[in-house]
Amino acid sequence: MRFNMVALMLLAVACVPGQRNVKFQQYYAEGEVLYQQHCANCHQADGSGLGKLYPPLAKSDFLLNDTEAVVCLIKYGVAGEMNVNGVIYNKPMPGIPTLTDLEIAEIATYIFNSWGNSRQMVEVNQVSPILEACSKAP
Amino acid sequence: MKLQWSSVQAAVFGTVLLMACGNEKPLPIFGQRELVGTDTVYHTIAPFQFVDQDSTVITNADFKDQVYVADFFFTSCRTICPIMKTQMLRVYEATTEMPDVKIISHTIDPEYDTVALLHDFAKRLGVTSNRWHFVTGVKDSIYKIAQTSYFATAMEDKSEPDGFIHSGAFLLIDKKQRIRGKYDGTKEADVNRLIADIKKLRREDAL
Protein backbone atom coordinates (compact mmCIF):
# COMPACT_ATOMS: atom_id res chain seq x y z
CA MET A 1 0.00 0.00 0.00
CA ARG A 2 2.69 2.38 1.06
CA PHE A 3 4.80 1.37 -1.90
CA ASN A 4 1.89 2.03 -4.23
CA MET A 5 1.46 5.50 -2.83
CA VAL A 6 5.14 6.29 -3.34
CA ALA A 7 5.03 4.88 -6.87
CA LEU A 8 1.99 6.98 -7.67
CA MET A 9 3.60 10.10 -6.37
CA LEU A 10 6.77 9.45 -8.34
CA LEU A 11 4.71 8.88 -11.46
CA ALA A 12 2.89 12.14 -10.90
CA VAL A 13 6.13 14.07 -10.46
CA ALA A 14 7.66 12.48 -13.55
CA CYS A 15 4.71 12.95 -15.88
CA VAL A 16 2.97 16.19 -15.07
CA PRO A 17 5.66 18.74 -15.98
CA GLY A 18 6.09 17.01 -19.35
CA GLN A 19 8.58 17.52 -22.14
CA ARG A 20 9.57 21.09 -21.37
CA ASN A 21 10.64 20.06 -17.90
CA VAL A 22 13.03 17.41 -19.19
CA LYS A 23 14.66 20.01 -21.40
CA PHE A 24 14.81 22.42 -18.48
CA GLN A 25 16.50 19.79 -16.32
CA GLN A 26 19.09 19.14 -19.02
CA TYR A 27 19.83 22.84 -19.45
CA TYR A 28 19.98 23.32 -15.71
CA ALA A 29 22.32 20.37 -15.07
CA GLU A 30 24.71 21.39 -17.86
CA GLY A 31 24.50 25.00 -16.74
CA GLU A 32 25.52 24.05 -13.22
CA VAL A 33 28.66 22.28 -14.45
CA LEU A 34 29.61 25.24 -16.64
CA TYR A 35 28.88 27.67 -13.82
CA GLN A 36 31.21 25.80 -11.44
CA GLN A 37 33.89 25.80 -14.10
CA HIS A 38 33.72 29.38 -15.36
CA CYS A 39 31.87 31.55 -12.86
CA ALA A 40 31.93 30.15 -9.31
CA ASN A 41 35.53 31.21 -8.54
CA CYS A 42 34.42 34.82 -8.28
CA HIS A 43 30.64 34.73 -7.91
CA GLN A 44 30.82 31.77 -5.46
CA ALA A 45 29.08 28.41 -5.64
CA ASP A 46 26.05 29.89 -3.87
CA GLY A 47 25.90 32.98 -6.10
CA SER A 48 26.62 35.31 -3.19
CA GLY A 49 29.56 37.15 -4.79
CA LEU A 50 32.47 38.51 -2.72
CA GLY A 51 32.38 41.80 -0.83
CA LYS A 52 32.11 44.74 -3.21
CA LEU A 53 34.51 43.05 -5.59
CA TYR A 54 32.29 40.53 -7.34
CA PRO A 55 28.54 41.17 -7.41
CA PRO A 56 26.05 38.55 -6.23
CA LEU A 57 23.91 36.71 -8.76
CA ALA A 58 21.52 35.39 -6.13
CA LYS A 59 18.52 37.74 -5.96
CA SER A 60 20.40 40.28 -8.06
CA ASP A 61 18.17 42.99 -9.50
CA PHE A 62 20.60 43.58 -12.35
CA LEU A 63 20.48 39.92 -13.33
CA LEU A 64 16.73 39.58 -13.06
CA ASN A 65 15.96 42.84 -14.89
CA ASP A 66 18.12 42.46 -17.94
CA THR A 67 18.41 39.05 -19.58
CA GLU A 68 20.00 40.51 -22.70
CA ALA A 69 22.81 42.26 -20.84
CA VAL A 70 23.54 39.11 -18.85
CA VAL A 71 23.71 36.92 -21.96
CA CYS A 72 26.02 39.39 -23.69
CA LEU A 73 28.40 39.92 -20.78
CA ILE A 74 28.92 36.18 -20.27
CA LYS A 75 30.36 35.99 -23.76
CA TYR A 76 31.90 39.42 -24.27
CA GLY A 77 32.70 40.58 -20.74
CA VAL A 78 31.84 43.87 -19.08
CA ALA A 79 33.68 46.85 -17.60
CA GLY A 80 32.83 50.05 -15.76
CA GLU A 81 30.40 50.72 -12.97
CA MET A 82 27.53 48.35 -12.36
CA ASN A 83 24.74 48.86 -9.84
CA VAL A 84 23.59 45.61 -8.24
CA ASN A 85 21.02 45.82 -5.45
CA GLY A 86 22.09 49.41 -4.76
CA VAL A 87 25.82 48.67 -4.49
CA ILE A 88 28.23 50.01 -7.10
CA TYR A 89 30.69 47.42 -8.41
CA ASN A 90 33.56 48.36 -10.67
CA LYS A 91 35.86 45.50 -11.59
CA PRO A 92 36.16 44.40 -15.19
CA MET A 93 34.85 40.91 -15.93
CA PRO A 94 36.52 39.18 -18.85
CA GLY A 95 34.16 37.45 -21.25
CA ILE A 96 34.44 33.84 -22.35
CA PRO A 97 34.25 34.02 -26.14
CA THR A 98 34.79 30.28 -26.52
CA LEU A 99 31.36 29.47 -25.06
CA THR A 100 28.76 28.32 -27.57
CA ASP A 101 25.27 29.82 -27.74
CA LEU A 102 23.88 26.64 -26.20
CA GLU A 103 26.35 26.77 -23.31
CA ILE A 104 25.42 30.38 -22.60
CA ALA A 105 21.74 29.44 -22.63
CA GLU A 106 22.50 26.66 -20.14
CA ILE A 107 24.47 28.96 -17.82
CA ALA A 108 21.70 31.59 -18.05
CA THR A 109 19.06 28.96 -17.25
CA TYR A 110 21.08 27.84 -14.25
CA ILE A 111 21.72 31.29 -12.76
CA PHE A 112 18.17 32.49 -13.46
CA ASN A 113 16.76 29.54 -11.54
CA SER A 114 19.10 29.07 -8.58
CA TRP A 115 19.59 30.53 -5.10
CA GLY A 116 16.08 31.91 -4.87
CA ASN A 117 16.05 33.23 -8.44
CA SER A 118 13.16 31.87 -10.42
CA ARG A 119 12.62 32.82 -14.01
CA GLN A 120 11.84 30.96 -17.16
CA MET A 121 14.49 28.89 -18.84
CA VAL A 122 16.58 30.61 -21.46
CA GLU A 123 16.66 28.62 -24.68
CA VAL A 124 19.34 28.62 -27.30
CA ASN A 125 17.02 30.10 -29.93
CA GLN A 126 16.52 33.12 -27.63
CA VAL A 127 20.22 33.50 -26.96
CA SER A 128 21.47 33.42 -30.55
CA PRO A 129 19.77 36.62 -31.76
CA ILE A 130 20.79 38.46 -28.56
CA LEU A 131 24.43 37.48 -29.05
CA GLU A 132 24.22 38.35 -32.72
CA ALA A 133 22.99 41.81 -31.78
CA CYS A 134 25.59 42.51 -29.12
CA SER A 135 28.48 41.22 -31.24
CA LYS A 136 27.69 44.10 -33.61
CA ALA A 137 27.34 46.66 -30.85
CA PRO A 138 30.24 49.13 -30.67
CA MET B 1 35.46 15.31 53.80
CA LYS B 2 33.73 17.52 51.34
CA LEU B 3 36.78 19.74 51.10
CA GLN B 4 39.01 16.74 50.49
CA TRP B 5 36.88 15.66 47.59
CA SER B 6 37.12 18.94 45.80
CA SER B 7 40.87 19.10 46.22
CA VAL B 8 41.17 15.60 44.77
CA GLN B 9 38.97 16.69 41.90
CA ALA B 10 41.07 19.79 41.36
CA ALA B 11 44.24 17.73 41.37
CA VAL B 12 42.83 15.30 38.83
CA PHE B 13 41.54 18.14 36.70
CA GLY B 14 44.86 19.93 36.85
CA THR B 15 46.77 16.82 35.86
CA VAL B 16 44.48 16.21 32.92
CA LEU B 17 44.86 19.83 31.85
CA LEU B 18 48.64 19.65 32.12
CA MET B 19 48.73 16.45 30.12
CA ALA B 20 46.53 17.98 27.46
CA CYS B 21 48.82 21.00 27.12
CA GLY B 22 52.04 19.05 27.39
CA ASN B 23 50.91 16.63 24.71
CA GLU B 24 50.29 19.28 22.08
CA LYS B 25 52.77 18.58 19.32
CA PRO B 26 54.52 21.75 18.21
CA LEU B 27 54.15 22.81 14.59
CA PRO B 28 57.05 21.83 12.35
CA ILE B 29 59.72 24.35 11.36
CA PHE B 30 60.18 24.39 7.59
CA GLY B 31 63.38 24.65 5.57
CA GLN B 32 67.03 23.90 6.02
CA ARG B 33 68.68 24.23 9.38
CA GLU B 34 72.29 24.71 10.32
CA LEU B 35 74.14 24.04 13.47
CA VAL B 36 76.19 27.04 14.58
CA GLY B 37 78.16 26.03 17.65
CA THR B 38 75.48 24.52 19.82
CA ASP B 39 72.64 26.59 18.32
CA THR B 40 70.35 25.44 15.54
CA VAL B 41 69.77 28.17 12.97
CA TYR B 42 66.51 27.84 11.08
CA HIS B 43 65.39 29.11 7.70
CA THR B 44 63.83 32.55 8.07
CA ILE B 45 62.16 35.06 5.75
CA ALA B 46 64.82 37.23 4.07
CA PRO B 47 64.73 41.03 4.54
CA PHE B 48 62.10 42.63 2.30
CA GLN B 49 60.66 46.03 1.53
CA PHE B 50 57.33 46.48 -0.21
CA VAL B 51 54.59 49.12 -0.36
CA ASP B 52 51.05 48.39 0.81
CA GLN B 53 47.62 49.65 -0.25
CA ASP B 54 48.04 52.81 1.85
CA SER B 55 51.47 53.59 0.30
CA THR B 56 53.09 52.57 3.59
CA VAL B 57 56.49 50.92 3.32
CA ILE B 58 56.24 47.41 4.77
CA THR B 59 59.32 45.52 5.94
CA ASN B 60 60.07 42.57 8.21
CA ALA B 61 60.01 45.02 11.12
CA ASP B 62 56.24 45.43 10.67
CA PHE B 63 55.85 41.76 11.58
CA LYS B 64 58.05 41.92 14.66
CA ASP B 65 56.40 39.87 17.42
CA GLN B 66 53.58 39.03 15.03
CA VAL B 67 52.31 35.79 13.64
CA TYR B 68 51.41 36.26 9.99
CA VAL B 69 49.99 34.54 6.95
CA ALA B 70 51.44 35.22 3.49
CA ASP B 71 50.22 34.51 -0.01
CA PHE B 72 50.79 35.50 -3.65
CA PHE B 73 48.07 36.57 -6.06
CA PHE B 74 47.02 39.26 -8.55
CA THR B 75 43.77 41.16 -8.78
CA SER B 76 42.91 40.40 -12.41
CA CYS B 77 43.32 36.64 -11.90
CA ARG B 78 40.13 34.67 -12.35
CA THR B 79 41.39 31.16 -11.70
CA ILE B 80 42.45 30.37 -8.14
CA CYS B 81 42.94 33.88 -6.69
CA PRO B 82 39.27 34.68 -6.06
CA ILE B 83 38.97 31.40 -4.15
CA MET B 84 42.14 32.22 -2.21
CA LYS B 85 40.73 35.63 -1.32
CA THR B 86 37.44 34.08 -0.21
CA GLN B 87 39.40 31.73 2.04
CA MET B 88 41.83 34.40 3.29
CA LEU B 89 38.82 36.49 4.23
CA ARG B 90 37.81 33.59 6.50
CA VAL B 91 41.26 33.75 8.13
CA TYR B 92 40.86 37.53 8.52
CA GLU B 93 37.46 37.12 10.15
CA ALA B 94 38.60 34.26 12.39
CA THR B 95 41.49 36.37 13.74
CA THR B 96 39.57 39.61 14.39
CA GLU B 97 40.24 39.34 18.12
CA MET B 98 43.94 38.55 17.71
CA PRO B 99 45.94 41.79 17.45
CA ASP B 100 49.20 39.88 16.96
CA VAL B 101 48.01 38.11 13.79
CA LYS B 102 48.49 39.77 10.38
CA ILE B 103 48.08 38.92 6.72
CA ILE B 104 50.27 39.92 3.77
CA SER B 105 49.15 39.34 0.19
CA HIS B 106 51.81 40.03 -2.46
CA THR B 107 50.75 40.86 -5.99
CA ILE B 108 52.79 39.05 -8.62
CA ASP B 109 51.58 41.49 -11.28
CA PRO B 110 52.96 44.82 -9.99
CA GLU B 111 52.66 46.47 -13.39
CA TYR B 112 48.87 46.19 -13.34
CA ASP B 113 48.31 46.08 -9.58
CA THR B 114 49.26 49.61 -8.57
CA VAL B 115 48.93 50.92 -5.02
CA ALA B 116 45.69 52.65 -6.02
CA LEU B 117 44.29 49.46 -7.47
CA LEU B 118 45.26 47.43 -4.39
CA HIS B 119 43.69 50.10 -2.22
CA ASP B 120 40.44 49.80 -4.14
CA PHE B 121 40.63 46.00 -4.03
CA ALA B 122 41.11 45.89 -0.24
CA LYS B 123 38.35 48.42 0.29
CA ARG B 124 35.94 46.45 -1.84
CA LEU B 125 36.87 43.31 0.05
CA GLY B 126 36.04 45.24 3.21
CA VAL B 127 39.38 44.77 5.03
CA THR B 128 41.74 47.22 6.71
CA SER B 129 45.46 47.74 6.20
CA ASN B 130 46.33 47.47 9.87
CA ARG B 131 45.54 43.76 9.71
CA TRP B 132 45.82 42.84 6.04
CA HIS B 133 48.53 44.35 3.85
CA PHE B 134 48.23 44.10 0.07
CA VAL B 135 51.75 44.81 -1.15
CA THR B 136 53.44 45.57 -4.41
CA GLY B 137 57.07 46.26 -5.27
CA VAL B 138 59.86 45.41 -7.68
CA LYS B 139 58.68 42.40 -9.63
CA ASP B 140 61.92 40.44 -9.30
CA SER B 141 62.03 41.04 -5.55
CA ILE B 142 58.51 39.65 -5.21
CA TYR B 143 59.30 36.56 -7.28
CA LYS B 144 62.56 36.05 -5.43
CA ILE B 145 61.05 36.26 -1.96
CA ALA B 146 58.24 33.94 -3.05
CA GLN B 147 60.62 31.31 -4.29
CA THR B 148 63.53 31.54 -1.88
CA SER B 149 61.91 32.68 1.37
CA TYR B 150 58.36 31.32 1.25
CA PHE B 151 59.00 28.33 -1.05
CA ALA B 152 56.00 29.40 -3.12
CA THR B 153 55.80 29.37 -6.90
CA ALA B 154 55.32 32.74 -8.58
CA MET B 155 56.46 33.73 -12.05
CA GLU B 156 55.32 35.00 -15.39
CA ASP B 157 54.27 32.49 -17.99
CA LYS B 158 52.68 33.72 -21.17
CA SER B 159 51.29 30.29 -21.97
CA GLU B 160 49.01 30.38 -18.90
CA PRO B 161 45.47 31.78 -19.39
CA ASP B 162 46.12 34.77 -17.14
CA GLY B 163 49.86 35.09 -17.90
CA PHE B 164 51.27 33.86 -14.58
CA ILE B 165 51.87 30.65 -12.75
CA HIS B 166 51.68 30.70 -9.02
CA SER B 167 50.74 28.41 -6.18
CA GLY B 168 47.64 28.88 -4.08
CA ALA B 169 49.66 28.35 -0.93
CA PHE B 170 49.11 30.17 2.37
CA LEU B 171 52.24 30.27 4.54
CA LEU B 172 52.13 30.58 8.29
CA ILE B 173 55.07 32.54 9.71
CA ASP B 174 55.95 32.68 13.42
CA LYS B 175 57.29 35.54 15.52
CA LYS B 176 60.84 34.53 14.66
CA GLN B 177 60.06 34.78 10.92
CA ARG B 178 60.18 31.01 10.46
CA ILE B 179 57.72 29.09 8.27
CA ARG B 180 55.55 26.89 10.48
CA GLY B 181 52.88 25.74 8.06
CA LYS B 182 51.93 25.54 4.39
CA TYR B 183 48.29 25.23 3.34
CA ASP B 184 46.32 25.04 0.12
CA GLY B 185 44.48 28.37 0.07
CA THR B 186 41.90 27.03 -2.35
CA LYS B 187 40.70 24.27 0.00
CA GLU B 188 38.33 25.07 2.84
CA ALA B 189 39.49 22.11 4.96
CA ASP B 190 43.13 23.13 4.66
CA VAL B 191 42.28 26.68 5.67
CA ASN B 192 40.41 25.33 8.71
CA ARG B 193 43.67 23.62 9.65
CA LEU B 194 45.51 26.93 9.20
CA ILE B 195 43.08 28.72 11.51
CA ALA B 196 43.58 25.98 14.13
CA ASP B 197 47.38 26.20 13.69
CA ILE B 198 47.37 29.98 14.20
CA LYS B 199 45.77 29.42 17.60
CA LYS B 200 48.27 26.67 18.36
CA LEU B 201 51.19 28.91 17.42
CA ARG B 202 49.91 31.68 19.69
CA ARG B 203 49.64 29.19 22.56
CA GLU B 204 53.22 28.10 21.87
CA ASP B 205 54.37 31.73 22.02
CA ALA B 206 52.50 32.25 25.26
CA LEU B 207 54.54 29.52 26.98
Side-chain angles (χ1 to χ4, degrees), chain A residues 41-42 44 52-53 88 90 94, chain B residues 78-79 82-83 86 121 124:
Chain A
N41 285 359
C42 295
Q44 311 292 322
K52 290 176 185 169
L53 279 172
I88 306 292
N90 193 358
Chain B
R78 39 194 168 145
T79 52
I83 309 175
T86 307
F121 190 89
R124 287 180 178 278

Side-chain angles (χ1 to χ4, degrees), chain A residues 11 17 20 22 36 45 47 52-53 58 70 78 80 82 85 108 110 117:
Chain A
L11 209 69
R20 196 191 155 274
V22 173
Q36 300 294 356
K52 290 176 185 169
L53 279 172
V70 170
V78 67
M82 179 187 280
N85 298 342
Y110 177 71
N117 296 344

Side-chain angles (χ1 to χ4, degrees), chain A:
Chain A
M1 183 62 185
R2 201 157 160 199
F3 175 76
N4 279 348
M5 285 276 284
V6 173
L8 255 170
M9 275 164 68
L10 275 176
L11 209 69
V13 170
C15 293
V16 171
Q19 198 63 36
R20 196 191 155 274
N21 198 274
V22 173
K23 195 170 179 180
F24 174 85
Q25 297 298 347
Q26 282 171 348
Y27 265 64
Y28 188 87
E30 287 295 325
E32 182 169 17
V33 172
L34 290 164
Y35 179 82
Q36 300 294 356
Q37 195 181 334
H38 296 291
C39 321
N41 285 359
C42 295
H43 295 290
Q44 311 292 322
D46 63 359
S48 60
L50 182 61
K52 290 176 185 169
L53 279 172
Y54 313 120
L57 307 184
K59 302 200 172 104
S60 148
D61 56 0
F62 178 91
L63 188 91
L64 297 170
N65 290 339
D66 199 341
T67 309
E68 277 150 38
V70 170
V71 165
C72 287
L73 67 82
I74 294 172
K75 182 147 180 157
Y76 297 108
V78 67
E81 287 192 354
M82 179 187 280
N83 186 329
V84 180
N85 298 342
V87 178
I88 306 292
Y89 295 84
N90 193 358
K91 285 273 159 211
M93 177 182 117
I96 312 166
T98 51
L99 290 174
T100 63
D101 292 8
L102 175 62
E103 287 172 326
I104 290 174
E106 289 166 341
I107 293 172
T109 297
Y110 177 71
I111 63 179
F112 280 130
N113 292 283
S114 297
W115 325 297
N117 296 344
S118 83
R119 288 197 71 183
Q120 289 178 323
M121 74 177 288
V122 182
E123 297 207 37
V124 64
N125 58 16
Q126 290 168 265
V127 161
S128 296
I130 297 173
L131 287 173
E132 175 87 27
C134 60
S135 71
K136 288 174 185 153

